[in-house]
Amino acid sequence: GTVGGGTALATQKECLNLMGCHGKGGVGRLAEMIVGFALALDLSTLAAVASGQFATAHERLGRNHPTHGLKEGDLNKELFAMIVGSRGEVTDWTPFNVMTGNSILSELTKAELSKKVGHFGFRVNYKEADGTLQTLPVVLKSKPTDIETSNMINMMAQGCGFALAMHYERHKMEIGFRHCHHREVLLAQLDNPQLKMFMPDIYHTIFQPSKDVYIIAMEFLSPEHYTLLDTADDISGWTEPDIKVVLRDLARVHSLFLPRDQQEWMSSQPWLEAFTGEKMGSMTSVWRALLKHARAEFPEFWTEERVTIMENAIDNIPQLWSVMESAPHTLVHNDCNPRNICLRKPGTPITLSTGDPATQRRSTFTPYSSDITMCMYDWELATIGVPQHDLAEFLAFSLQPNCPLQSRLEFIDFYRQHLQHYSGMEFPNERFVEVFNMACLDFAMNRLLMYTMAHTYKDYQFLPRVVNSHFTYLQQQVVKGAFSNTFKATKSKL
């Protein structure tokens, strides 16, 4: 109140006088000030909820997990002894910097979280049983949780406008990051020698959900043994034989998870989610908001013709996905590009399996011969999907925009023939290319548009080239009428 009671006390009276509300007639002014304050508080709170900042701030600044995650004190002799294992006794270790490439997400996550996340290099010195001193270069990869990852991406969405932030917040756990902190660790723990032939050596893993600790200790990919490391920005070093090595080995990896028993295993893993047409259709508002942002911010490579193709793809998600859902599915890397793929130089003691003998008897096909092998890492986005998705992404990154259509189709068929050979399954060319084209639209929708949002914050030098390369192919397919049966519910003319 403004009269009577405690309003005569010195401090209370002084405060009321400061606001011009003391005494008779001041009650209306005081009421207005209280209402204004309450309205401002409600508006601020609702705006934070709508943009995703309310939950993000509480999860980031709250006291819900004060001791969770990897801490500096956890980098101790006990941890490094588990990594070195039976090789010998750890004597000491020294850190070294690890280049992590173009990860805006890693930078945001490191800045916002109190625990240690990201890549950390260590040269671990140990003594063998005979007293010989050895050094093991190790990269520790500490994973943020899926909620932390999604919230970091949501911060980018917030900076791209209210509409995008609102739609992304609503679907942030459905866009492919759920269980991302589980996937790479659990895949690294798989007892699958054929898969591990195409991954870095894994020395140790830690999977502790109760403490939010998810760690992979892997070999340091040294230029001495590997080539074409982190080459997304500059693909000039990639030759046709290099691309063929990746396509051959990618077919080998995909073939491992096509048999029925592997299909059953994948579907039983709750952390290995699969996109569906229904799920993609439920997120139409997200894809439209991302496309609107791309069109407004980067019209130089998101041209009107390309935007129209994407508008048609979004309008026809059920038709697009019905084609893919009826095709064979496998384990796909889902981030299959030169940021996460390099080549292992000859001399590494790895022997490629020639596959099922029964398959060999049925086929006169001879696989591509090269002592170089693919090495694929960063599996946190792995999912169940058509193998053409990984193929579409790798070709978009590794082929220049001026690559002739016939050359790209020859690479597609090169991969198809190797997939047939290693899996023992038939993949008719016309049907395979049809599914590939749908996978290209899907990749543009749920990956290139996301890259474009991140491009607002960090200059992804590769992005204009990749978008141009990918859409050069898509536009050529539009001219050929490849999507005439898919784009039925069209609102925009091609």
Side-chain angles (χ1 to χ4, degrees), residues 77-115:
K77 189 170 184 177
E78 180 182 1
L79 172 62
F80 290 113
M82 290 188 290
I83 293 171
V84 170
S86 61
R87 293 177 180 84
E89 180 183 355
V90 174
T91 58
D92 59 90
W93 56 90
T94 56
F96 66 89
N97 290 328
V98 178
M99 300 299 293
T100 56
N102 293 286
S103 181
I104 180 67
L105 190 58
S106 294
E107 294 174 8
L108 280 173
T109 307
K110 286 181 180 179
E112 293 294 324
L113 300 179
S114 59
K115 62 185 183 183

Side-chain angles (χ1 to χ4, degrees), residues 8-139:
L9 297 175
T11 302
Q12 283 77 353
K13 183 177 180 179
E14 181 181 6
C15 289
L16 288 169
N17 282 328
L18 285 172
M19 295 185 291
C21 300
H22 185 261
K24 188 176 180 180
V27 64
R29 177 177 171 82
L30 180 61
E32 289 175 353
M33 296 178 72
I34 292 172
V35 169
F37 173 83
L39 178 61
L41 180 62
D42 284 348
L43 287 174
S44 176
T45 302
L46 289 172
V49 170
S51 66
Q53 296 181 39
F54 186 82
T56 303
H58 279 75
E59 289 166 357
R60 178 167 54 90
L61 303 174
R63 300 179 181 179
N64 50 339
H65 300 303
T67 61
H68 283 198
L70 180 68
K71 305 295 183 183
E72 187 67 36
D74 297 325
L75 302 175
N76 52 34
K77 189 170 184 177
E78 180 182 1
L79 172 62
F80 290 113
M82 290 188 290
I83 293 171
V84 170
S86 61
R87 293 177 180 84
E89 180 183 355
V90 174
T91 58
D92 59 90
W93 56 90
T94 56
F96 66 89
N97 290 328
V98 178
M99 300 299 293
T100 56
N102 293 286
S103 181
I104 180 67
L105 190 58
S106 294
E107 294 174 8
L108 280 173
T109 307
K110 286 181 180 179
E112 293 294 324
L113 300 179
S114 59
K115 62 185 183 183
K116 295 181 74 67
V117 296
H119 297 72
F120 307 93
F122 293 93
R123 292 184 177 87
V124 184
N125 300 313
Y126 64 94
K127 184 185 298 184
E128 294 181 333
D130 62 1
T132 304
L133 296 177
Q134 299 285 2
T135 299
L136 182 68
V138 175
V139 173

Side-chain angles (χ1 to χ4, degrees), residues 435-453:
V435 177
F436 176 82
N437 288 340
M438 299 304 112
C440 284
L441 292 172
D442 180 58
F443 168 65
M445 191 182 306
N446 69 21
R447 187 51 48 83
L448 290 183
L449 288 175
M450 293 287 286
Y451 271 136
T452 303
M453 180 176 69

Side-chain angles (χ1 to χ4, degrees), residues 312-367:
N312 279 278
I314 295 169
D315 288 343
N316 291 277
I317 285 176
Q319 289 80 6
L320 187 160
W321 270 85
S322 67
V323 174
M324 292 196 292
E325 288 180 327
S326 63
H329 282 52
T330 186
L331 177 71
V332 296
H333 184 277
N334 203 28
D335 202 8
C336 182
N337 60 68
R339 302 169 74 227
N340 304 314
I341 292 176
C342 63
L343 298 182
R344 187 181 280 115
K345 294 180 180 180
T348 304
I350 291 180
T351 302
L352 281 172
S353 170
T354 56
D356 183 350
T359 303
Q360 300 300 303
R361 287 195 298 270
R362 290 195 301 269
S363 174
T364 59
F365 176 79
T366 302

